[in-house]
Amino acid sequence: MKKTAAASVLAALWALSPQAVRPAQPDDEAARRKIAHDIFKQLIEINTTDSVGSTTVAAQAMAQRLLDAGFAKADVVVLGPNDRKGNMVARYRGQAGSKLKPILIIAHLDVVEANRQDWTTDPFKFIEKDGYFYGRGTQDMKDSDAIAIANFIRMRGEGFVPDRDIILALTADEEGGKFNGVDWLLKNHRDLIEAEYALNPDSGTVRTDKPPAVEFEAAEKLYADYQVLATNAGGHSSLPTPDNAIYHVTDALAVLQKSPFPFELNAVTREYFGQMAKIESGQVAADMRAILATPPDPTAIERLSRDPTWNSTMRTTCVATMLSAGHALNALPQRAEANVNCRIFPGHFQEEIRLKLVGLFDDPKLTVRTKNSAGEVADRGTDRKPMAPAPLRGDVLRSLHTVAGKLWPGAAVIPIMEVGASDSVYTSNAGIPSYGICGVAIDRDDERAHGKDERVGIDSYYNGLEFYYQFLEALTTAR
Ligand SMILES: [Zn+2]
C-alpha cells in the first residue's frame, strides 16, 4: 500500500515525538490487522517441519516482506548451514550513533510434525473457525514470528526510530533437527545478532483468567535423558532366579518415584512465589510465604509439591518416561531398559544428576548413562550449562508493567522459571541475558502446542500484535 502524503507528515511528527499520543486511526487498525493476518497465513502454509519442510522458504518469504516494506537489503539476510535450514536476520536501525547495544528478538520458524489424519483440519492450511486461527504453529510459534514481522513493517511505516537497533532472528531447528539456528548464528555470525539482551516469545504467556497475569520467563531448567539399563544371562522362565533384569530396573524406578530431589529457590522463583502469594489466597498463599521464610517450612513445601507446576518450580525432577524389556513371553529377560527424563534446576549439571541417580539406585547391576536427542548413549553427562537466571532488569520490567497494564488492566507481572526448554539457553549461555515474553494469551486448558488441532484465539493474536508493538516502543524510547 502506498503511503499518502498526510500519513507521511504524521509519521514524521510521530518520529520527532515518540511519546506523543497519536490519534486513533480505525482504517490503520484494519489495514494493520490485514497485514498481520496475511503474514500469519503465509507462514502457517509454508511447511517448516524437520522431516520434509524448509525454514529457508519461510525465512525468504519474511525477508521479502521486509524488503517490500522498504528495509535496506544489507539489513535483511537469510543464511544457514544448508539450503533447508535457513535463518532470517533483520536489523531495524535505531538512532544513528546510538551507544546502546541492540535488543535481539529470537523466534523459531520450525514446527513440530503434524499428521493430516490426526487433525480435524489440514495442519498446513490456515483455517479461521469459531473465533480461532487453526494450523500447525499457530501457538508455537508462527504467531509470534508473524507479529514480529508485522510490527517491524508497522514501525517502519510510521517512521519510528528506536533509541538503538532492534534485531530480529527467525531461526531453524528449535523443536528438533541438527541445525539449531540460534546456536548456529552465535557460532558463525555472532556479529549479526550481538545484543545487550534477548527477547524470546517462545515462552511466557498472558493469563486472562481472574486475576489476569503476564508471566515472563527469566530462568529455565536444563533438559536431560538417562538410560537405566540391566542385562542378564536370561534363561527359561520356568526356572526363575532372583537376579532379573526387569526387577532391577523396576526396583530402581520405584525408589526414584519415592525420592524427590531437594527443595531449592533462586532469585527468579523467589520472586515468582512472592508474587503468586499475593494472587493466591488461604492456605496456598500462606504456604508460599512459608517456603520463602528462613528456614523454609517443610510441610508447606510438601503441600505445594502436589501441584505439578509448583513442584517442578521448586526442585530438579526426574521421571520414568519409557520402558522396554524382555524378548519372549516364556523367557527370563536378557535386557531391561528405562528412560528417565530429568528437568534440572539451574546451577546443577547433567553429570552431577547422573551420579545422584547412580547413588540413589545403589545397584551394581544397573548402568545409568546419558542419552542425547538422537538416542545416542554416553557414559557421562555433557557439560552443557543450564540457562543462568537472567537479572530482573528494571528497564525491561518497567516497560512490561506499563504495556501489560494498558492491555490487561490490573495484570500482575510475574517472572517464571520455565520448566521446559527453549532457545534462550543458547543466547543466555553466550552472555546475552534472555527473557521469554509473549503477549499472546492462551487459555490454561487450551495449550495445544505440539498437539493436534493447534489453534490460537483471533482476539489473542491481535492483542499480542498490539502488545509487542507497544512493548518494543516502550523499550526503545528515550526516557
Ligand atoms: Zn516453540
Side-chain angles (χ1 to χ4, degrees):
M1 202 173 53
K2 260 198 166 164
K3 228 166 42 155
T4 63
S8 301
V9 172
L10 206 58
L13 288 172
W14 176 238
L16 285 174
S17 172
Q19 271 152 336
V21 179
R22 192 163 172 269
Q25 309 275 320
D27 296 350
D28 286 6
E29 174 76 19
R32 281 199 301 271
R33 286 187 171 208
K34 168 95 173 71
I35 293 170
H37 168 279
D38 292 353
I39 295 172
F40 197 10
K41 174 176 161 63
Q42 183 179 24
L43 276 175
I44 294 296
E45 296 188 350
I46 297 172
N47 187 329
T48 53
T49 56
D50 184 38
S51 59
V52 298
S54 165
T55 59
T56 306
V57 175
Q60 279 164 347
M62 293 304 103
Q64 195 57 50
R65 290 262 177 193
L66 295 179
L67 295 174
D68 291 347
F71 279 77
K73 250 194 153 130
D75 289 339
V76 184
V77 291
V78 174
L79 66 184
N82 63 49
D83 56 8
R84 217 162 60 83
K85 299 293 182 180
N87 308 284
M88 189 215 75
V89 181
R91 182 175 292 257
Y92 191 110
R93 294 276 167 191
Q95 280 161 19
S98 172
K99 296 268 184 303
L100 297 167
K101 272 179 93 173
I103 297 171
L104 169 67
I105 305 168
I106 54 172
H108 65 82
L109 284 168
D110 60 313
V111 292
V112 171
E113 307 291 333
N115 292 326
R116 175 66 186 93
Q117 60 269 29
D118 300 340
W119 281 53
T120 311
T121 59
D122 183 340
F124 298 101
K125 280 266 163 338
F126 188 70
I127 309 278
E128 200 170 325
K129 198 173 68 160
D130 313 325
Y132 290 89
F133 293 131
Y134 284 80
R136 171 56 88 222
T138 47
Q139 281 192 9
D140 186 12
M141 60 176 299
K142 286 177 168 173
D143 53 340
S144 294
D145 300 338
I147 283 172
I149 293 289
N151 280 329
F152 263 35
I153 293 171
R154 176 180 177 186
M155 293 190 305
R156 192 183 157 84
E158 291 174 348
F160 175 69
V161 182
D163 64 5
R164 65 185 80 190
D165 291 357
I166 305 171
I167 302 165
L168 171 63
L170 301 181
T171 61
D173 280 8
E174 191 273 343
E175 302 289 7
K178 284 189 250 162
F179 302 99
N180 182 281
V182 176
D183 192 30
W184 187 85
L185 286 168
L186 284 164
K187 285 181 179 145
N188 296 283
H189 295 275
R190 173 97 190 219
D191 54 313
L192 276 181
I193 58 167
E194 183 60 32
E196 185 167 349
Y197 60 87
L199 305 173
N200 181 359
D202 200 17
S203 57
T205 188
V206 177
R207 304 283 178 204
T208 48
D209 354 278
K210 290 204 163 30
V214 173
E215 298 178 346
F216 70 99
E217 181 203 292
E220 209 166 81
K221 292 176 98 175
L222 179 67
Y223 182 102
D225 283 305
Y226 299 94
Q227 178 209 55
V228 180
L229 176 71
T231 52
N232 277 148
H236 202 285
S237 63
S238 61
L239 298 169
T241 59
D243 184 15
N244 177 303
I246 291 178
Y247 295 149
H248 281 289
V249 170
T250 53
D251 284 353
L253 298 181
V255 171
L256 179 68
Q257 187 190 15
K258 294 192 191 71
S259 314
F261 278 73
F263 167 80
E264 289 181 75
L265 289 170
N266 59 30
V268 171
T269 59
R270 193 170 271 286
E271 180 67 18
Y272 168 78
F273 282 115
Q275 294 274 348
M276 289 299 290
K278 293 182 209 159
I279 292 178
E280 297 289 343
S281 58
Q283 186 68 55
V284 170
D287 284 346
M288 287 179 170
R289 280 187 283 272
I291 65 165
L292 296 175
T294 317
D297 176 0
T299 46
I301 294 170
E302 209 275 313
R303 270 193 298 268
L304 290 179
S305 296
R306 292 174 205 160
D307 177 284
T309 302
W310 295 332
N311 178 54
S312 197
T313 302
M314 294 189 293
R315 53 171 55 93
T316 293
T317 62
C318 289
V319 63
T321 54
M322 291 180 88
L323 194 56
S324 73
H327 59 283
L329 293 176
N330 56 2
L332 297 174
Q334 289 164 4
R335 183 186 167 92
E337 176 184 347
N339 187 73
V340 169
N341 178 258
C342 298
R343 305 303 176 118
I344 301 171
F345 199 90
H348 302 283
F349 293 86
Q350 288 182 350
E351 177 62 6
E352 176 190 348
I353 300 301
R354 191 189 70 80
L355 292 172
K356 282 247 164 69
L357 293 175
V358 169
L360 185 66
F361 300 155
D362 191 22
D363 181 348
K365 287 278 183 177
L366 289 175
T367 60
V368 179
R369 305 200 291 165
T370 56
K371 205 193 276 178
N372 68 16
S373 55
E376 296 157 354
V377 176
D379 288 339
R380 274 181 54 90
T382 67
D383 297 330
R384 193 173 181 195
K385 274 193 287 182
M387 170 178 163
L392 299 174
R393 289 175 65 108
D395 53 350
V396 175
L397 279 179
R398 269 194 305 279
S399 298
L400 190 54
H401 265 283
T402 307
V403 177
K406 276 194 234 165
L407 283 157
W408 302 284
V413 174
I414 305 173
I416 57 164
M417 179 172 71
E418 174 62 49
V419 296
S422 79
D423 277 345
S424 295
V425 70
Y426 296 107
T427 40
S428 142
N429 285 345
I432 304 173
S434 305
Y435 303 89
I437 300 177
C438 178
V440 179
I442 307 285
D443 287 343
R444 239 173 254 272
D445 56 2
D446 205 38
E447 307 251 8
R448 299 185 180 200
H450 301 199
K452 71 185 185 80
D453 295 341
E454 187 178 347
R455 67 181 188 178
V456 70
I458 293 176
D459 289 344
S460 288
Y461 175 66
Y462 291 124
N463 279 334
L465 176 71
E466 184 62 23
F467 166 81
Y468 245 94
Y469 167 77
Q470 292 194 24
F471 183 48
L472 286 178
E473 291 213 343
L475 287 172
T476 57
T477 302
R479 270 141 297 176

